[in-house]
Amino acid sequence: MLFVPPRQLSHSSSIAGWIGWMPEVPFDSVLVIRHADGSVQHRTIKSIPLRPSHIALLPGDRLLIASGRVRKDEEGSWKPNALVYSPEGTVENSFCIGDDIDVLVTAHDGSIWTAYGDEGIYGGHPKSAAGLAGWDSHGQISWEPDGRLPEWPLAGFSAATEGDQVWLAWYSRPSVGGTFLTRITPATGEVTSWPSPVESPDGLAVRGHHAILTRRVHNKNSTVVTRAELVDGSWATVERRTVEAPGPVVMRCGQGRDGVLWLRAGDAWVRIEA
C-alpha cells in the first residue's frame, strides 16, 4: 500500500468517501509491504509524478505504479503512465501501458497483465484496442489475444495469478455469453477461455480446479462469494453466499495470488482462500 501525507491530498467533489481523496502530483509517499511471514517493510518514495490507479510488485523488490488514463503530448505521442521503481526509490523505467486500465496484475516472471475499459478499447490507443494485453517491465508488448478469445472484450473486471499462469475476468456482450474467464500461460502463450459462473466479478482467485469469485453488494458492507469447480470443461457453481466485510468492497482493488483472494473493504483487507 502507498501512504500519502494528508497535506498532499485533495478531495474530488464528485466522488464520495475515502476513494475521492487523490494526491496532488508530484507527491511523496511511503510504500508499506506486508510479507507472508507477517513482517512489514517500509520504503520512502519521493516526487511521484502521476496519480496511481494501480500498484504491483515486480521481481527484484521493484515497484510498478500505473495511472489508469493517459494523454498525448504536444507532438501527438502517448505520455508515460507507468513507472518502475528500484528498491532505492529511483525510477528505472517509464512507459505507456495503454489507456483506461480497468485491471492490472503482475506475474511471478515479472510480466504485467492488463485489461481495459471501453474508453480505452475504443479510444484510439493501439495497445488498448484488443481489450487484454501482456507487457514486460520495459514497456514492450509480450502477449496479445491475436484472435484466440471467444469474443472481443469490452471491459476488464478482475485478475489473478496461480503459479506460472495468469487469469483475467472480462466482459463481452450478454448476447454472446457476457463474462469470460481466460487463463494465459506466459511461457508458452497458451490461452484457454470459459464462460464465467459469475457475472462481472470484482475478485478472482484460482487454485487448481477450484476458483473463488466475488461480487460486491452496492452500498453495503458485504460481498457475494461464489465457489466454483472446473468439471468436464466448464466452471460449475459449488456454493454461493453473502459475506459481511469491514467496509464497502472497493472496485479494482482485488488481487488473487496462488489461490488466495485479497479484497479491499473500507480500511481493511479481507483474505479469502479458494
Side-chain angles (χ1 to χ4, degrees):
M1 297 181 66
L2 280 178
F3 287 85
V4 182
R7 66 179 182 277
Q8 293 188 280
L9 297 174
S10 63
H11 195 274
S12 170
S13 59
S14 61
I15 306 176
W18 72 266
I19 200 169
W21 289 95
M22 294 175 285
E24 293 293 334
V25 296
F27 65 95
D28 300 335
S29 71
V30 175
L31 174 68
V32 178
I33 304 172
R34 184 185 184 278
H35 298 281
D37 61 4
S39 61
V40 177
Q41 177 185 355
H42 298 80
R43 189 188 307 169
T44 300
I45 304 177
K46 293 185 175 295
S47 300
I48 297 175
L50 51 78
R51 287 178 172 173
S53 301
H54 307 275
I55 66 171
L57 293 177
L58 292 168
D61 216 17
R62 297 173 298 159
L63 173 69
L64 173 71
I65 297 179
S67 174
R69 302 308 303 265
V70 64
R71 301 180 184 277
K72 291 185 177 182
D73 59 24
E74 296 177 353
E75 298 179 354
S77 299
W78 296 100
K79 293 182 178 181
N81 64 336
L83 304 172
V84 177
Y85 282 88
S86 71
E88 294 73 34
T90 59
V91 177
E92 287 187 349
N93 291 304
S94 64
F95 46 87
C96 180
I97 201 169
D99 187 32
D100 195 19
I101 305 170
D102 279 350
V103 175
L104 184 150
V105 68
T106 53
H108 294 294
D109 64 353
S111 56
I112 305 164
W113 298 86
T114 48
Y116 301 93
D118 56 354
E119 294 184 26
I121 293 170
Y122 295 105
H125 193 288
K127 300 305 181 183
S128 301
L132 310 178
W135 307 75
D136 65 23
S137 59
H138 298 283
Q140 300 298 312
I141 283 284
S142 60
W143 179 90
E144 293 180 285
D146 290 333
R148 292 173 290 177
L149 300 177
E151 297 293 336
W152 198 275
L154 298 180
F157 288 128
S158 52
T161 59
E162 183 206 11
D164 61 351
Q165 296 177 329
V166 177
W167 291 79
L168 296 171
W170 52 276
Y171 170 81
S172 184
R173 300 186 308 276
S175 60
V176 296
T179 304
F180 291 88
L181 301 180
T182 292
R183 182 185 66 198
I184 305 162
T185 305
T188 63
E190 180 185 357
V191 182
T192 308
S193 298
W194 300 265
S196 172
V198 175
E199 182 182 355
S200 311
D202 51 45
L204 168 66
V206 181
R207 177 175 288 144
H209 291 337
H210 300 273
I212 188 167
L213 303 98
T214 58
R215 185 170 180 179
R216 68 191 185 116
V217 180
H218 188 59
N219 287 332
K220 293 185 179 181
N221 295 354
S222 58
T223 185
V224 177
V225 178
T226 299
R227 297 185 181 276
E229 185 175 354
L230 189 59
V231 180
D232 296 330
S234 62
W235 286 100
T237 297
V238 175
E239 179 190 28
R240 179 174 288 127
R241 61 191 178 96
T242 300
V243 175
E244 295 299 313
V249 174
V250 183
M251 291 180 65
R252 301 178 186 141
C253 282
Q255 290 265 331
R257 296 288 185 181
D258 294 324
V260 177
L261 173 61
W262 295 87
L263 284 180
R264 177 70 185 265
D267 291 332
W269 286 90
V270 177
R271 184 180 190 271
I272 307 174
E273 291 269 359

